[in-house]
Amino acid sequence: QVQFVESGGGLVQPGGSLRLSCVASGFTFSSSIMRWYRQAPGKEREFVATIGAFDGSTYYAASVKGRGTISRDNAKNTVYLQMNSLKPEDTAVYYCNAARYPNSWSQGTQVTVSS
């Protein structure tokens, strides 16, 4: 059974940083492209970042480029998202996902950016 467990969210002031983690199970993590998405209140879920399976290549949405860093630790079946210079518009529930299982979602982790 494909599962994702996200953590690391919380309340942070504008300009602050957070490191989100996602532990995956139920599939071969090391050969899977991994992605982060987010969903703000009243909005559709949107793509944030992706990381390749073998070359570790990364790609970011324009809204987080330069402020976000996606990384992975295949030994721990974990993908990370480091977010810096957080803005109120980054407030959302953040989800991770494997490209080969696009319909598998978990509960996500809430990020709230507010003073």
Side-chain angles (χ1 to χ4, degrees):
Q1 182 180 0
V2 174
Q3 287 188 326
F4 306 101
V5 180
E6 299 93 343
S7 62
L11 174 63
V12 62
Q13 292 188 343
S17 299
L18 280 176
R19 188 194 195 202
L20 308 182
S21 301
C22 170
V23 179
S25 61
F27 62 99
T28 306
F29 179 84
S30 60
S31 62
S32 299
I33 297 170
M34 296 299 297
R35 296 169 176 166
W36 281 96
Y37 289 80
R38 67 185 182 186
Q39 186 167 20
K43 295 187 177 181
E44 293 188 354
R45 189 173 293 165
E46 66 174 3
F47 166 81
V48 176
T50 187
I51 185 166
F54 301 107
D55 61 1
S57 59
T58 58
Y59 182 81
Y60 300 91
S63 57
V64 304
K65 193 172 185 179
R67 301 186 297 120
T69 302
I70 187 172
S71 61
R72 65 191 298 158
D73 185 338
N74 289 339
K76 296 182 178 179
N77 281 13
T78 301
V79 60
Y80 304 96
L81 181 67
Q82 175 73 39
M83 290 288 293
N84 301 322
S85 303
L86 283 161
K87 307 174 182 179
E89 51 263 44
D90 293 317
T91 296
V93 179
Y94 285 70
Y95 304 88
C96 74
N97 178 269
R100 68 176 65 178
Y101 300 107
N103 297 317
S104 293
W105 301 98
S106 65
Q107 79 288 348
T109 186
Q110 175 72 49
V111 172
T112 302
V113 184
S114 176
S115 56

